[in-house]
Amino acid sequence: MFDTKLYDTNNNFASGTYTAPVAGFYHFDANAVASVTTANFQILVLYKNGSGFHGGSRTVANTTNLHGQHLSCLVQLAANDTVDIRSLGTGGAGSTGQINTYFNGFLVSRT
């Protein structure tokens, strides 16, 4: 879902996963807009080291249209912890395409 980088000066983002270079508090934002083919439920979830950590806003799409989800959170990470964002959905055919989709983050302070 997040396959194009605008910038990654320290090469910490690869294959949709961010790896923390240092221990600290990190802020992450993610947004996904999808075109759905049938009614469904979608939510963005931030995964820390492979486990669900924080869920963002959810959308319940009752028609075929563009529907979006957003996530924003502060996470404490140790050096080499990983973070990835997943769009989870149920009750329909899911997304057929993605526009206005992004995932970004930054170090707020070291711990």
Side-chain angles (χ1 to χ4, degrees), residues 6-107:
L6 296 179
Y7 49 88
D8 181 11
T9 56
N10 202 38
N11 293 315
N12 296 104
F13 186 78
S15 301
T17 301
Y18 177 79
T19 303
V22 297
F25 290 96
Y26 290 79
H27 178 84
F28 293 100
D29 288 299
N31 194 70
V33 178
S35 174
V36 295
T37 56
T38 61
N40 75 14
F41 160 85
Q42 293 180 313
I43 186 170
L44 287 181
V45 178
L46 181 139
Y47 278 72
K48 176 181 172 183
N49 297 322
S51 297
F53 181 80
H54 179 81
S57 65
R58 68 178 190 171
T59 339
V60 178
N62 295 319
T63 60
T64 58
N65 208 329
L66 294 177
H67 298 277
Q69 311 94 56
H70 183 77
L71 177 141
S72 182
C73 65
L74 186 68
V75 182
Q76 185 174 12
L77 300 176
N80 298 312
D81 278 354
T82 61
V83 169
D84 67 281
I85 305 294
R86 302 176 196 181
S87 180
L88 307 177
T90 61
S95 63
T96 58
Q98 296 161 343
I99 62 171
N100 299 323
T101 300
Y102 62 83
F103 168 33
N104 64 52
F106 58 90
L107 175 65

